[in-house]
């Protein structure tokens, strides 16, 4: 007999033989739980249990694909009873009982059928469209989580933080109510993950300063992570005394005590607008997943003791002793649920599946929103905003200053937009790109964060869930690796795994790339964009000059606002303050600030400098600057070169690029990123496949980190290197 069947038979035997025992002396009246609501909770727990059993049978038949069950964790249904149905919930994968119970409070929902469609990977699965077995529902305010090993905690903190921000800046009709509470649940093993530690620290850090943060962290402590035991008392010792964090403990195997803890946690978070750590002791039945044999790492006595803590045993005992139901009533209901599921699952198995790659990929790019275009700000409003910069705005400026003005215009145009990041406030950012924004728009819209990239990106993702338009800043490109899963595993996957129902549009600004004259070393001169290029659906933009930077940033914000895209905007640090191109004082790398509506650069529009046909140089970022310098040298030697600025690294504008190089028989790719994993590899493949008649070569940075001082330039392409390679290609 397998573990699931053993627990099932134990429950039936206890119902028949009177072996049910309550876990405490608390009664329904003691905790204010109405008998009919207690009965509803038991029903949700039993439905969750029967679905777990069925998922294993489906896997054995080859018709089901997911067996990480909720058995033993059914006490989380009490949170669904305590919260409102519009309180957003970021759920642990063992929280089926929560979703089932919340669905029972919303007319027209059929959670059993929905989950069966999910188990069988049907294209009609109402949350993921057959792409993954995830808990989630748009109507139930449950965004899907594809992995709940702590990666969802930062955005839960961001969502809770955004409620107060939306209120302060006067946004109305946001998805999250002004008095809403956010739930985030996870296991005791996940609580050890650095992402969880960072998110909980962020919440406590904010609350310690008086920032409203109505959030319930639900730690479902079953004492084990797959096969690794959590030390007894570890969770309580770590979280019960944290400054800024209110700690509550309850027994998830005891329905009344679980309800007591859930109600207390939700009431505290809603009333005080502060984060709560609800430590719910649970038990994991069956093992981690369907193929997990617990006897390999647990003794028979350990397993027996865990099975004795089955919450269904104590929930049934409670209702029977309180006279709400008889044992026969409980058994009839339990078996009726099983019979109903067995009938429905045969229908679910036959429902349509995803048929091809196009169907699978249909939700990678979010759906566009219609009728949401924002008008260009009025001239009077802009004049007031820039009153102290009016004289400067008539003169050519470098990229950093132009970006600062562009963000000010964007914050004026989009009232739901926010800027967030380390030092973006009064300081104006490390490179002064957010100068005066805090002064002009205040701390509710220009938010200084703590030093944690996961928290910064989590704030953005969570805020986007609440209808805000975030522009988070990561100080240096190398820093994003501390938090890249927030972009890959959370932001970029949300539309895909929710079938386009949930999105988190944002524009992530990142200062990066090399050529900083030996300053800072590799941690401030990272020359790799590979981490973004392989994430489906993400837009990656790299401007090369101030004029383009302004136009492209506006397009990025439009993409986020109207098309709900996740956009990464990488700004070349070395070009922030650059003014001259060929000679000192020529001012050729500055430009006058163009007002909104002028000089647009749309997604996929490349830049072409010159019309030479001897050679096409394809490049981006700092490469454009260097290639234009080489272009001048080559022209003096009778070689006519056109320089093509990609601007948009992903998605690559293949057709526009092929059209731009068409007049040239030779193509040189100049890539400031490292040879391995760089854009140059994809470009070489593109030209080989679709422009096979052309002579193609590349210059890229060597596969090295960047050192300090003069040695910093040794691994990178240079003007002279570009010119020499061009001469070699043209003259042979």
């Amino acid at each position: 007999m397998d573990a699931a069947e053993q627990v099932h038979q134990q429950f039936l035997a206890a119902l028949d033989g009177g072996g049910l025992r309550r876990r405490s002396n608390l009664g329904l009246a003691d905790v204010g739980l109405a008998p009919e609501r207690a009965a509803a909770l038991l029903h949700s727990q039993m439905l969750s249990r029967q679905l777990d059993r069925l998922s294993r049978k489906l896997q054995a038949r080859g018709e089901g694909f997911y067996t990480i069950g909720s058995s033993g964790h059914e006490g989380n249904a009490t949170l669904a009873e305590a919260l409102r149905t519009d309180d957003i919930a970021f759920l642990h994968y063992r929280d089926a009982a929560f979703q089932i119970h919340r669905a029972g409070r919303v007319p027209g929902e059929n959670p059993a059928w929905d989950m069966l469609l999910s188990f069988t990977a049907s294209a009609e699965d109402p949350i993921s469209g057959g792409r993954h077995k995830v808990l989630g529902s748009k109507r139930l305010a449950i965004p899907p989580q594809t992995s709940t090993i702590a990666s969802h905690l930062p955005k839960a903190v961001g969502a809770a933080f955004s409620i107060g921000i939306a209120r302060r800046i006067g946004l109305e009709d946001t998805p999250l109510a002004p008095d809403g509470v956010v739930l985030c649940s996870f296991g005791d093993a996940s609580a050890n993950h650095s992402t969880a530690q960072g998110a909980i620290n962020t919440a406590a850090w904010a609350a310690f300063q008086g920032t409203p943060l109505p959030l319930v962290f639900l730690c479902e402590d079953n004492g084990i992570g797959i096969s690794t035991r959590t030390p007894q008392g570890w969770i309580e010792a770590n979280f019960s005394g944290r400054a800024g964090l209110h700690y509550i403990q309850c027994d998830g195997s005891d329905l009344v005590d679980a309800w007591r803890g859930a109600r207390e946690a939700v009431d505290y978070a809603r009333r005080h607008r502060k984060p709560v750590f609800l430590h719910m002791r649970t038990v994991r039945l069956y093992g981690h997943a369907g193929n997990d044999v617990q006897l390999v790492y647990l003794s028979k006595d350990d397993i027996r003791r865990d099975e004795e803590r089955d919450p269904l045993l104590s929930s049934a005992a409670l209702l029977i002793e309180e006279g709400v139901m008889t044992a026969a009533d409980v058994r009839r209901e339990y078996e009726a649920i099983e019979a109903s599921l067995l009938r429905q699952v045969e229908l679910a198995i036959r429902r349509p599946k995803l048929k091809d790659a196009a169907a699978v990929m249909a939700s990678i790019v979010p759906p566009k929103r219609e009728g949401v275009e924002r008008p260009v700000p009025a001239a009077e409003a802009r004049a007031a905003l820039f009153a102290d910069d009016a004289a400067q705005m008539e003169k050519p400026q470098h990229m950093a200053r132009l970006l600062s003005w562009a963000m000010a215009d964007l914050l004026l145009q989009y009232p739901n937009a926010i800027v967030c990041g380390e030092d973006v406030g009064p300081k104006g950012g490390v490179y002064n790109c957010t100068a005066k924004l805090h002064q002009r728009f205040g701390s509710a819209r220009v938010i200084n964060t703590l030093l944690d990239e996961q928290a910064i990106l989590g704030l953005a993702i969570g805020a986007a869930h609440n209808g805000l338009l975030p522009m988070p800043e990561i100080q240096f490109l190398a820093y994003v690796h501390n938090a890249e899963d927030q972009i890959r595993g959370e932001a970029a996957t949300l539309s895909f795994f929710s079938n386009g129902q949930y999105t988190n549009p944002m524009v992530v600004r990142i200062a990066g790339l090399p050529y900083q004259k030996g300053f800072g070393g590799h941690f401030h001169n990272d020359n790799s964009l590979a981490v973004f290029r392989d994430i489906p659906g993400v837009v990656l933009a790299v401007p090369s000059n101030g004029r383009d930077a302004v136009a492209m940033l506006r397009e990025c914000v439009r993409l986020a606002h109207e098309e709900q895209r996740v956009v990464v905007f990488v700004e070349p640090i070395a070009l922030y303050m650059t003014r001259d191109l060929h000679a000192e004082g020529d001012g050729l790398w500055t430009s006058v600030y163009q007002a909104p509506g002028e000089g647009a650069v749309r997604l996929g529009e490349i830049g072409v400098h010159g019309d030479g046909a001897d050679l096409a140089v394809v490049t981006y970022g700092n490469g454009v600057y260097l290639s234009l310098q080489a272009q001048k040298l080559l022209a003096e030697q009778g070689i006519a070169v056109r320089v093509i600025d990609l601007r948009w690294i992903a998605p690559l504008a293949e057709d526009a690029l092929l059209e731009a190089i068409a007049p040239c028989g030779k193509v040189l790719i100049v890539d400031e990123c490292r040879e391995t994993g760089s854009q140059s590899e994809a470009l070489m493949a593109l030209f080989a496949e679709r422009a096979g008649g052309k002579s193609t070569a590349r210059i890229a940075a060597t596969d090295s980190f960047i050192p300090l001082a003069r040695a910093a330039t040794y691994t990178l392409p240079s003007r002279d290197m570009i010119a020499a390679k061009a001469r070699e290609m043209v003259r042979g």
Side-chain angles (χ1 to χ4, degrees):
M1 186 184 300
D2 71 10
E5 187 62 19
Q6 180 173 313
V7 171
H8 167 67
Q9 292 298 334
Q10 174 184 276
F11 180 54
L12 293 180
L15 287 171
D16 291 345
L20 298 169
R21 295 291 182 272
R22 292 169 59 173
R23 290 185 57 81
S24 73
N25 293 323
L26 285 173
L28 297 177
D30 296 323
V31 295
L33 182 59
E36 66 273 13
R37 298 314 303 158
L41 282 164
L42 175 60
H43 177 86
S44 298
Q45 292 181 325
M46 292 194 297
L47 176 52
S48 177
R49 179 66 56 84
Q50 294 286 25
L51 282 165
D52 275 3
R53 294 181 61 230
L54 186 54
S55 72
R56 290 168 172 252
K57 294 176 181 178
L58 286 171
Q59 184 188 47
R61 292 174 55 183
E63 298 286 3
F65 309 95
Y66 191 88
T67 57
I68 297 181
S70 303
S71 294
H73 281 241
E74 291 93 350
N76 57 53
T78 58
L79 270 297
E81 181 72 18
L83 289 160
R84 295 197 314 237
T85 57
D86 64 342
D87 288 326
I88 196 167
F90 300 95
L91 295 183
H92 185 36
Y93 48 59
R94 298 196 192 278
D95 284 8
F98 177 99
Q99 179 160 326
I100 290 166
H101 194 72
R102 175 169 280 192
R105 299 177 59 200
V106 177
E109 291 294 297
N110 187 345
W113 177 245
D114 292 348
M115 289 192 181
L116 291 175
L117 292 173
S118 183
F119 287 171
T120 57
S122 169
E124 295 176 351
D125 164 24
I127 187 61
S128 78
R131 293 173 180 85
H132 202 287
K133 162 59 185 76
V134 288
L135 296 173
S137 167
K138 183 67 173 177
R139 274 171 51 86
L140 301 179
I142 304 174
Q145 311 305 311
T146 60
S147 174
T148 52
I149 305 176
S151 59
H152 60 311
L153 271 69
K155 65 182 178 184
V157 176
F161 182 80
S162 76
I163 294 174
I165 292 298
R167 203 170 185 176
R168 285 176 62 189
I169 64 180
L171 293 182
E172 298 179 355
D173 299 323
T174 52
L176 307 185
D179 64 343
V181 169
V182 175
L183 173 69
C184 178
S185 57
F186 51 96
D188 52 292
S190 295
N192 297 306
H193 199 285
S194 62
T195 311
Q197 294 286 331
I200 294 167
N201 180 71
T202 300
W205 179 85
F208 186 77
Q209 302 173 75
T211 302
L213 207 83
L215 172 62
V216 175
F217 288 114
L218 171 61
C219 180
E220 299 178 35
D221 182 3
N222 61 30
I224 196 167
I226 303 183
S227 66
T228 303
R229 285 287 197 182
T230 297
Q232 191 167 1
W234 176 251
I235 296 299
E236 181 177 5
N238 271 271
F239 298 104
S240 61
R242 290 288 295 270
L245 193 65
H246 185 65
Y247 176 86
I248 299 171
Q249 189 176 109
C250 66
D251 183 357
S253 294
D254 180 356
L255 187 66
V256 285
D257 195 51
W259 163 250
R260 175 199 58 77
R263 185 177 64 174
E264 182 181 341
V266 171
D267 287 351
Y268 185 92
R270 200 180 306 278
R271 184 170 65 254
H272 296 286
R273 317 305 290 166
K274 291 184 180 296
V276 178
F277 191 96
L278 177 58
H279 180 193
M280 179 178 284
R281 297 186 307 278
T282 62
V283 61
R284 190 191 72 187
L285 304 175
Y286 311 167
H288 176 68
N291 60 356
D292 181 29
V293 180
Q294 293 191 101
L295 281 171
V296 173
Y297 53 86
L298 293 178
S299 70
K300 289 183 178 180
D301 286 342
D302 289 333
I303 294 172
R304 178 184 52 77
R305 282 192 293 268
D306 285 346
E307 290 177 351
E308 288 174 354
R309 293 175 56 206
D310 181 354
L312 262 64
L313 294 173
S314 59
S315 293
L318 170 72
L319 268 66
I320 292 167
E321 289 185 28
E322 294 260 357
V324 179
M325 302 175 75
T326 66
D329 292 335
V330 174
R331 177 159 187 158
R332 271 194 300 273
E333 187 168 327
Y334 183 68
E335 292 179 338
I337 291 170
E338 180 181 24
S340 175
L341 290 177
L342 290 174
R343 289 193 299 271
Q344 292 182 74
V345 74
E346 298 305 321
L347 299 174
I349 288 169
R350 296 196 293 270
R351 299 311 302 161
K353 305 292 193 291
L354 293 168
K355 295 186 180 297
D356 51 34
V360 171
M361 297 168 63
S363 60
I364 288 177
V365 175
K368 295 181 181 180
R369 300 195 303 159
E370 301 296 336
V372 297
E373 299 85 354
R374 291 293 307 170
V376 171
E380 297 78 10
R382 294 191 66 247
L385 179 67
F386 294 116
D388 56 348
D389 285 337
Q392 286 185 315
M393 296 180 84
E394 296 176 359
K395 303 172 184 176
Q397 302 290 342
H398 54 61
M399 184 190 293
R401 182 163 292 157
L402 294 172
L403 281 170
S404 173
W405 289 338
M407 280 186 275
D409 259 327
L410 288 165
L411 288 170
L412 183 64
Q413 182 177 3
Y414 295 87
N416 62 330
I418 60 172
V419 171
C420 59
E422 185 191 357
D423 299 315
V424 299
K427 178 179 173 59
V430 172
Y431 294 101
N432 220 34
C433 290
T434 58
K436 299 185 180 180
L437 294 183
H438 186 270
Q439 170 189 331
R440 288 166 170 159
F441 294 95
S443 60
R445 299 191 66 194
V446 183
I447 303 163
N448 262 350
T449 68
L450 74 176
L451 198 162
D452 180 4
E453 286 73 29
Q454 291 184 137
I456 295 167
L457 294 174
L459 166 57
I461 297 170
H465 271 289
N466 198 24
L468 276 69
L469 181 58
M471 289 188 281
E473 176 182 291
I474 304 297
Q475 273 189 358
F476 293 100
L477 179 57
Y479 293 5
V480 81
H481 300 296
N482 299 326
E484 61 191 52
D485 187 54
Q486 289 300 302
I487 298 175
R488 180 205 170 276
E490 293 296 335
T493 62
L494 186 60
S495 176
F496 180 69
F497 286 118
S498 69
N499 206 14
Q501 297 172 83
Y502 277 104
T503 59
N504 34 223
M506 66 186 68
V507 179
V508 185
R509 292 181 46 253
I510 305 175
L513 300 174
Y515 298 101
Q516 294 176 59
K517 300 179 181 179
F519 171 77
H522 81 282
F523 216 53
H524 299 85
N525 291 260
D526 190 13
N527 59 332
S528 175
L529 300 174
V531 65
F532 308 118
R533 289 176 52 243
D534 75 344
I535 304 176
V538 166
V539 175
L540 175 58
V542 183
S544 65
N545 60 82
R547 185 185 296 271
D548 279 4
V550 169
M552 291 172 66
L553 183 59
R554 289 172 178 160
E555 172 67 356
C556 290
V557 172
R558 187 198 68 78
L559 287 167
H561 178 70
E562 297 179 16
E563 302 187 20
Q564 307 192 88
R565 302 297 295 270
V566 175
V567 185
V568 175
F569 189 76
V570 178
E571 302 162 8
I573 297 172
L575 299 176
Y576 271 148
M577 309 297 177
T578 299
R579 291 182 172 274
D580 306 323
L581 176 59
H582 299 300
E584 185 176 349
D586 67 19
L588 292 176
W589 218 246
T590 62
S591 59
V592 173
Y593 181 68
Q594 292 185 305
E598 300 175 5
V601 174
R602 296 301 189 191
L603 175 63
E605 289 184 11
I606 61 176
V608 181
H609 301 269
D611 56 4
D614 292 335
L615 177 75
V617 176
V618 177
T619 187
Y620 63 94
N622 291 289
V624 176
Y625 182 77
L626 297 172
S627 297
L628 289 177
Q629 291 179 333
Q631 181 189 53
K632 184 175 184 293
L633 294 177
L634 292 165
E636 293 169 354
Q637 299 165 18
I639 298 175
V641 171
R642 67 178 58 193
V643 176
I644 299 169
D645 185 350
L646 292 173
R647 291 175 171 161
W648 307 96
I649 308 301
L652 195 62
E654 294 184 358
D655 292 338
L657 179 55
L658 292 169
E659 182 181 347
I661 68 169
C664 306
K666 296 176 173 60
V667 179
L668 174 61
I669 300 163
V670 175
D671 194 335
E672 61 187 287
C673 288
R674 299 188 285 273
E675 284 185 356
T676 302
S678 68
Q679 295 68 241
S680 64
E681 292 182 332
L683 290 166
M684 290 292 286
L686 171 66
F687 296 146
E689 293 170 354
R690 298 187 60 187
K694 297 185 184 297
S695 173
T696 307
R698 65 171 172 153
I699 299 173
T702 57
D703 288 346
S704 171
F705 298 112
I706 298 174
L708 286 172
R710 294 178 182 175
T713 62
Y714 297 164
T715 65
L716 302 172
S718 67
R719 177 200 67 178
D720 293 341
M721 192 185 299
I722 297 167
K725 187 64 176 180
R727 284 193 297 269
E728 175 190 325
M729 292 181 70
V730 172
R731 293 176 176 170

